[in-house]
């Protein structure tokens, strides 16, 4: 399994150094009402390690999200997300599943920023409608085999040293994994509430020479599924943002889990890089 | 009809209606702040006031968009004042509307422009 993990990390490093364009004031894991300029692409790579407990056994999962975002208009963007997944299980599962690797399901998403108010040079308030579809394009055993639509709202506010994002999303599940791992991979519908807060640690005040910022971030994720499963995770982290690149690091911690139909998260770690060309 | 199919179709329909809907309020706000435009006419630079820059990386998007305008030789965004400093090739007549369009396309709010001789 070590070689699989090495390959995953190698692929991640290779992809990020191929370059990408970023759009920022978005924390590591949660959505934001930001998008690339009209006619421009954004490319973001993020690796995530998660350890789950499933029927008394540990299961490690690496996910590398490759995300392409295109600005269709100045206020409408299209996102394509293709995850690569590696699963390492302690034991063969009750349904006969062992280690798994391959592509996860592709997600297509449209984001329309329908309201924006910019009261000051740095400050902004943005509200966007999101909608899309998760397609059954993943490898056997990693795909939910469903055509799952989702719709939601996302809000972003930047005021002086503070940034805030809040999102709500409802996903209709039309099929699911035999052994669901994370929220939304079973056959129950999913309501997700995401909030994040960013505090600019440095600089305290922007000047004409400011070229970079360092943020402390806290993200919160609450997942309600129609089968009764509920979980709450938080991800404190750091975000370093220069003019042309960004680095992010966030541990993922479960705060409360009332889960009967999928695996329980023990802990996780997300890290990513974004580049602007 | 299967309830899930019905809900799915409804959600997709609502998304489609919203996503191809009317222009944003940002457009109207930006239009309301329009100033006399014109062109560079031999000016060596321009200064634009912009709001909603957000962060250093967001602001750098403006430089990327400015680079695509014929006649723009360099640009820099001052986050503290919201001023975008643009250096121009004095032999090229650069329309103020093109500079403003780059700000709009970047998702920021254009306030004013002033050419510098």
């Amino acid at each position: 399994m070590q070689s699989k993990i090495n390959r995953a990390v190698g692929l991640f490093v290779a992809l990020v150094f191929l370059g990408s364009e970023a759009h920022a004031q978005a924390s590591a894991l949660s959505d934001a009402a930001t998008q690339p300029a009209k006619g421009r692409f954004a490319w973001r790579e993020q690796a995530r390690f998660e350890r789950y407990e499933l029927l008394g056994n540990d299961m490690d999962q690496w996910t590398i999200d490759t995300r392409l975002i295109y600005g269709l208009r100045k206020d409408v963007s299209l996102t394509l997300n293709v995850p690569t997944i590696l699963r390492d299980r302690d034991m063969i599962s009750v349904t006969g599943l062992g280690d798994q690797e391959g592509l996860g399901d592709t997600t297509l998403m449209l984001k329309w920023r329908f309201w924006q108010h910019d009261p000051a040079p740095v400050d902004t308030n943005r509200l966007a409608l999101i909608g899309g579809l998760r397609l059954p394009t993943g490898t056997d055993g990693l795909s939910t085999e469903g055509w799952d639509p989702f719709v939601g709202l996302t809000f972003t506010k930047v005021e002086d040293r503070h940034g805030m994002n809040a999102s709500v999303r409802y996903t209709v599940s039309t099929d699911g994994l035999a052994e669901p791992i994370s929220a939304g991979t079973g056959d129950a519908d999913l309501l997700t509430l995401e909030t994040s807060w960013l505090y600019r640690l440095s600089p305290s005040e922007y000047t004409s020479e400011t070229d970079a910022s360092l943020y402390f971030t806290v993200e919160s994720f609450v997942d309600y599924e129609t089968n009764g499963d509920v979980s709450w995770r938080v991800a404190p982290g750091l975000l370093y943002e220069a003019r042309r690149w960004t680095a992010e690091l966030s541990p993922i911690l479960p705060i409360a889990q009332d889960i009967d139909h999928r695996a329980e998260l023990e802990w996780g770690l997300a890290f990513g890089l974004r580049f602007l060309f | 009809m299967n309830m899930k199919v019905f809900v799915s179709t409804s959600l997709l329909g609502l998304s489609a209606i919203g996503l191809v809907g009317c222009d944003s309020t940002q457009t109207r706000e930006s239009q309301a702040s329009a100033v006399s435009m014109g062109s560079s006419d031999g000016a060596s630079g321009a200064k634009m006031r912009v709001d909603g820059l957000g962060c250093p990386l967001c602001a750098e998007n403006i430089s990327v968009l400015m680079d695509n305008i014929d006649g723009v030789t360099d640009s820099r965004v001052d986050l503290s004042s919201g001023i975008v400093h643009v250096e121009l090739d004095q032999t090229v007549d650069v329309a103020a509307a093109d500079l403003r369009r780059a700000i709009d396309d970047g998702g920021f709010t254009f306030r004013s422009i002033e050419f510098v001789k």
Side-chain angles (χ1 to χ4, degrees):
Chain A
M1 192 62 204
Q2 190 60 40
S3 64
K4 289 179 185 173
I5 293 172
N6 289 342
R7 263 189 292 162
V9 173
L11 175 63
F12 171 72
V13 171
L15 285 170
V16 295
F17 283 104
L18 282 173
S20 64
E21 181 187 348
H23 55 117
Q25 201 61 23
S27 37
L29 297 159
S30 48
D31 207 350
T34 55
Q35 50 210 146
K38 177 186 176 184
R40 298 206 62 83
F41 274 102
W43 183 11
R44 182 175 178 175
E45 293 292 332
Q46 186 181 72
R48 201 166 62 252
F49 171 82
E50 292 161 306
R51 172 160 292 169
Y52 289 95
E53 189 267 317
L54 184 62
L55 301 174
N57 297 306
D58 282 345
M59 192 207 74
D60 293 342
Q61 176 169 285
W62 279 90
T63 306
I64 300 173
D65 280 318
T66 299
R67 194 171 302 168
L68 283 170
I69 312 159
Y70 181 68
L72 295 169
R73 300 190 334 193
K74 61 186 176 185
D75 53 2
V76 177
S77 61
L78 177 66
T79 301
L80 171 72
N81 187 69
V82 182
T84 303
I85 299 172
L86 302 176
R87 284 186 188 147
D88 178 21
R89 295 172 194 266
D90 274 355
M91 301 176 64
I92 302 294
S93 74
V94 290
T95 55
L97 292 173
D99 294 349
Q100 294 168 290
E101 60 178 289
L103 293 178
D105 288 336
T106 296
T107 301
L108 280 171
M109 182 178 81
L110 277 168
K111 182 187 292 182
W112 171 43
R113 187 183 69 241
F114 62 90
W115 180 78
Q116 178 174 356
H117 174 60
D118 296 335
V122 171
D123 299 356
T124 186
N125 303 276
R126 300 169 182 223
L127 191 57
L129 180 65
I130 58 175
L133 195 63
R134 184 170 59 192
L135 309 166
T137 55
T139 307
D140 283 350
L142 296 173
S143 170
T144 65
E145 307 292 346
W147 295 76
D148 303 333
F150 60 88
V151 67
L153 274 175
T154 181
F155 173 71
T156 290
K157 180 179 184 67
V158 178
E159 186 173 324
D160 196 14
R161 299 175 74 172
H162 302 271
M164 197 272 280
N165 301 289
S167 301
V168 58
R169 177 189 301 210
Y170 191 85
T171 304
V172 176
S173 175
T174 57
D175 209 336
L177 295 172
E179 282 182 10
I181 305 299
S182 54
T185 56
D187 56 8
D189 294 355
L190 170 66
L191 176 68
T192 301
L193 306 174
E194 296 178 350
T195 51
S196 64
W197 172 65
L198 300 89
Y199 179 72
R200 194 176 70 235
L201 297 169
S202 174
S204 57
E205 300 258 343
Y206 282 131
T207 70
S208 60
E209 304 301 316
T210 300
D211 278 325
S213 297
L214 176 67
Y215 301 87
F216 171 69
T217 66
V218 180
E219 300 176 80
S220 165
F221 309 89
V222 177
D223 296 314
Y224 296 94
E225 293 182 272
T226 50
N227 58 14
D229 285 357
V230 181
S231 62
W232 178 27
R233 295 165 289 144
V234 297
L238 289 173
L239 173 69
Y240 182 81
E241 189 175 80
R243 291 252 177 190
R244 294 269 175 168
W245 60 276
T246 291
E248 60 205 12
L249 177 69
S250 292
I252 307 167
L253 309 168
I255 299 298
Q257 300 184 94
D258 182 6
I259 293 171
D260 297 318
H261 303 87
R262 58 179 168 88
E264 289 198 357
L265 178 69
E266 294 186 358
W267 63 277
L269 183 69
F271 52 98
L273 287 171
R274 303 174 243 172
F275 287 83
L276 173 66
F277 283 88
Chain B
M1 179 186 286
N2 179 295
M3 181 56 76
K4 291 237 168 176
V5 174
F6 173 75
V7 173
S8 304
T9 308
S10 302
L11 288 177
L12 279 177
L14 284 172
S15 304
I17 291 167
L19 290 166
V20 299
C22 57
D23 281 345
S24 69
T25 54
Q26 180 262 334
T27 307
R28 289 191 289 276
E29 182 177 331
S30 189
Q31 285 169 346
S33 64
V35 296
S36 60
M37 300 300 271
S39 63
S40 58
D41 192 23
S44 61
K47 291 197 294 185
M48 287 181 285
R49 261 280 291 120
V50 178
D51 282 339
L53 293 168
C55 60
L57 191 65
C58 311
E60 192 67 10
N61 277 289
I62 291 177
S63 297
V64 173
L65 291 165
M66 289 294 164
D67 288 347
N68 293 329
I69 298 174
D70 189 31
V72 172
T73 57
D74 197 10
S75 64
R76 177 161 181 87
V77 181
D78 181 344
L79 281 164
S80 61
S81 61
I83 300 289
V84 180
H85 299 273
V86 182
E87 290 181 20
L88 300 173
D89 179 343
Q90 290 178 273
T91 65
V92 178
D93 196 28
V94 180
D98 290 341
L99 297 174
R100 179 189 164 171
R101 189 175 304 117
I103 301 297
D104 285 344
D105 287 347
F108 307 104
T109 298
F110 172 91
R111 295 298 183 196
S112 63
I113 184 169
E114 175 188 344
F115 285 107
V116 181
K117 291 289 183 183

